[in-house]
Amino acid sequence: EVQLVESGGGLVKPGGSLRLSCAASGFTFNDAWMSWVRQAPGKGLEWVGRIKTTTDGGTTDYPAPVKGRFTISRDDSKNTLYLQMDSLKTEDTAVYYCTHGYSILNYFDYWGQGSLVTVSS
Amino acid sequence: DIQMTQSPSTLSASVGDRVTITCRASQSISTWLAWYQQKPGKAPKLLIYKASTLESGVPSRFSGSGSGTEFTLTISSLQPDDFATYYCQQYDTYVTFGQGTKVEIK
């Protein structure tokens, strides 16, 4: 059974940093392109970025709202995905989901339960 | 960036109704489109990918169609478990989601 379990969420002040982790099991993690998707309270879904497999270069892509502030990384030895969030803004307040991308396609067949990040003074 | 626009934003329907949700892309995305269902407090669930392929385990009352810039999600006979919010997502160029369509009880 595929499981994605996020951790590390919480309350942080504007301008602060936070790192989320996603522990993966039930599939071959090092073969998976992984993404983060967030959802602000009462709002829709927003893609936050992805990381390719190490074999495919381990490269990352980010949308404009988080580029330069967020960094996705992976530790294949620990089957863990990370999201480092710096220079946080109040508009980054959201539930952050770890997602498994199907093959090299960017649709998401498995999702974690989500981790709430609140940016507030 | 590719923009995705869903309509309607909210849909009121009764059990047994046929329901159709539309998703439009700002440029052609071929059939690189997925649909998700989300219930309050839960993670989204994949329903359909490649515009019309049903994910394993998803009831056959769900269907998807379209290509290029116009897509539809149809629920042939709405069931009580189907009241939820539905999102389309393009994966032709990176990822963009539609704003969502809430299907509520009439």
Side-chain angles (χ1 to χ4, degrees), chain B residues 53-101:
Chain B
T53 303
L54 207 61
E55 173 72 343
S56 176
V58 173
S60 59
R61 62 181 180 275
F62 291 91
S63 64
S65 66
S67 65
T69 61
E70 294 261 341
F71 303 87
T72 58
L73 172 70
T74 300
I75 309 172
S76 59
S77 178
L78 199 65
Q79 298 302 299
D81 191 48
D82 301 337
F83 291 97
T85 300
Y86 294 85
Y87 293 93
C88 63
Q89 176 227 325
Q90 69 82 17
Y91 52 99
D92 175 82
T93 304
Y94 300 123
V95 171
T96 319
F97 291 92
Q99 81 279 16
T101 295

Side-chain angles (χ1 to χ4, degrees), chain A residues 19-100:
Chain A
R19 189 178 82 156
L20 302 182
S21 300
C22 171
S25 61
F27 64 97
T28 306
F29 182 75
N30 55 294
D31 282 347
W33 288 25
M34 301 292 293
S35 283
W36 289 93
V37 174
R38 69 183 179 183
Q39 186 168 37
K43 302 297 184 183
L45 302 169
E46 181 182 23
W47 180 65
V48 171
R50 74 152 179 231
I51 186 166
K52 298 179 181 179
T53 63
T54 302
T55 302
D56 289 328
T59 53
T60 51
D61 295 287
Y62 306 95
V66 307
K67 196 168 186 177
R69 300 189 299 121
F70 287 13
T71 303
I72 298 173
S73 61
R74 64 193 300 156
D75 186 337
D76 291 343
S77 69
K78 295 182 178 179
N79 286 356
T80 301
L81 179 72
Y82 301 101
L83 177 64
Q84 176 68 40
M85 300 181 289
D86 298 319
S87 303
L88 281 161
K89 306 175 181 180
T90 56
E91 54 263 42
D92 295 319
T93 294
V95 173
Y96 285 74
Y97 293 102
C98 167
T99 68
H100 171 277

